Amino acid sequence: MITFESKEFATALKTVSKVVPNRPSHPILGNILIEVSDNETCTLTGFDLSTSIRVKTTCISDEKQTFTLPAQLLNSICSKLPQGELTLSTEITEESVKATLKSGSGKYELQGVPAADYPPLPSIEGQTGEIKADSLNKALKIKSFASTDETKQVLTGVRMSEVDNQLEFAATDGHRLSIVDIGEFNLPENITVPAKTLGTLSHILSNVGKDDVVSFQIHDGMVSFQVNDYSLTTRVLQGDYPEYQKLIPESFVGKVSVDCEELARAINMASLVGNKNDLVRLNFEDNHCKVTNESEKGSVEEQTEIAIEDDPPEQICFAADYINEALKHIPSSSAKLCMNGNDQPAVLFPESDDDLLHLVMPVKIRD
């Protein structure tokens, strides 16, 4: 029999379930691998043949054992259990697994599959480097700038590369670009990691301390991240990543300082009369930015204060979602919007952070 603290077990189970496919190509991939290696440690594993998550959780067990149980059903049960003691008893044969869970007055019986049917997990030897969890979490926020179009597979990932001895993360969907540097680092090779996987890594980092250290390894088309009791391994994306550095202007003709919250509010209001993929116009004059939009539904004009530092274009137009996403991911209250006319890439720089930028392509419109 294995004894767990129910909430701790449910938290670990929720994490590994993030990589369990809803419609697995092989039925066994719909299961969680449960390994009791000693009297005090249980390791849970989820795997979809590309990405694996392993989480260690504490337990009390009278024997070593390994088996699998259906992830969806197990997760549904454990997520609703009250806090307290959870016991798991098993009857394991070469052909089958029968598990009985008990919590409070509840008793739940599940049919599992022997661990021998579970596919072998990828492993990576050696240590490439270490990053503080807080710094890595900051970099992972740009994952939303990656493409969701599976036909552009390499753009669905976040690029990790060494640029001028700095570890740099970049994400683009072809219309916008976000770049963040997180410090000096010697990276053996540049890789592109699936943004979806990095979303799971962000979830893991939410369960650890800011100063905890994340170690990672890169080898043979795989990358692995480990922190505390968590381990995530995934295949990197193949293909040539765009030379995004060439998109960043070396200088700018026009610069304005904006209040991120106020400009985002004005853009949101202007979007109310718009349609999907709607556009908003920004007009700069006399230290004010006028945000306008119109459609068959009506028209909106909003105004916010800015500080004009150089000579911005009289008007520039953006996809509302793209410029708002950039403003949302500015860590400071204000930012500089830098431009070279209304048909060249515009760049947002946080006032308080030189290691981050968001580039957004304006939309050329006819009056």
Side-chain angles (χ1 to χ4, degrees), residues 45-64:
T45 301
F47 187 35
D48 65 1
L49 296 183
S50 293
T51 303
S52 68
I53 298 180
R54 295 168 65 82
V55 180
K56 292 181 179 180
T57 186
T58 57
C59 70
I60 300 174
S61 178
D62 52 14
E63 64 176 327
K64 296 180 181 180

Side-chain angles (χ1 to χ4, degrees), residues 95 111 178 206 213 310 324 346 355:
E95 292 80 25
Q111 296 298 321
S178 184
S206 69
V213 175
D310 289 306
N324 248 352
D355 298 324

Side-chain angles (χ1 to χ4, degrees), residues 70-298:
Q72 187 173 0
L73 179 57
L74 185 62
N75 204 21
S76 296
I77 293 171
C78 292
S79 64
K80 297 176 176 63
L81 294 178
Q83 187 167 358
E85 185 178 275
L86 168 67
T87 63
L88 174 58
S89 303
T90 57
E91 296 177 16
I92 303 174
T93 69
E94 291 183 359
E95 292 80 25
S96 66
V97 173
K98 180 180 178 181
T100 302
L101 284 82
K102 292 183 180 180
S103 174
S105 60
K107 178 181 177 181
Y108 315 88
E109 293 187 348
L110 289 75
Q111 296 298 321
V113 177
D117 294 343
Y118 205 77
L121 298 170
S123 61
I124 301 178
E125 299 297 330
Q127 182 167 302
T128 299
E130 295 182 340
I131 312 173
K132 275 194 174 182
D134 188 42
S135 296
L136 181 56
N137 213 17
K138 168 187 171 183
L140 297 185
K141 290 179 180 179
I142 71 170
K143 63 186 180 296
S144 60
F145 288 75
S147 177
T148 57
D149 185 352
E150 292 298 330
T151 64
K152 302 175 181 177
Q153 190 180 36
V154 74
L155 295 187
T156 63
V158 174
R159 188 67 166 173
M160 290 177 60
S161 55
E162 182 184 339
V163 179
D164 297 330
N165 296 320
Q166 298 282 314
L167 179 57
E168 184 170 276
F169 288 71
T172 181
D173 61 4
H175 302 284
R176 55 198 175 141
L177 166 69
S178 184
I179 301 173
V180 59
D181 295 329
I182 62 171
E184 292 186 9
F185 204 85
N186 181 21
L187 196 67
E189 61 179 293
N190 299 339
I191 59 172
T192 307
V193 185
K196 181 180 178 181
T197 302
L198 294 181
T200 303
L201 181 57
S202 291
H203 171 79
I204 290 173
L205 295 180
S206 69
N207 295 321
V208 305
K210 291 182 178 181
D211 292 326
D212 287 339
V213 175
V214 182
S215 62
F216 68 96
Q217 296 81 38
I218 303 170
H219 181 69
D220 197 25
M222 306 287 293
V223 61
S224 179
F225 301 88
Q226 296 90 35
V227 56
N228 298 350
D229 294 326
Y230 299 89
S231 175
L232 182 151
T233 302
T234 189
R235 295 186 184 279
V236 301
L237 297 176
Q238 301 300 317
D240 295 330
Y241 202 80
E243 296 183 30
Y244 59 87
Q245 289 283 352
K246 294 181 178 179
L247 297 174
I248 305 169
E250 295 182 359
S251 61
F252 299 94
V253 173
K255 296 178 184 179
V256 298
S257 291
V258 302
D259 182 298
C260 297
E261 185 176 344
E262 281 300 306
L263 183 55
R265 183 199 63 81
I267 292 171
N268 281 328
M269 296 302 293
S271 298
L272 294 177
V273 297
N275 304 305
K276 187 178 180 181
N277 302 323
D278 202 38
L279 307 177
V280 292
R281 302 186 191 206
L282 277 61
N283 290 77
F284 306 106
E285 185 178 359
D286 297 332
N287 286 328
H288 286 87
C289 175
K290 183 170 67 175
V291 182
T292 60
N293 190 15
E294 61 179 86
S295 69
E296 67 278 0
K297 300 176 184 178

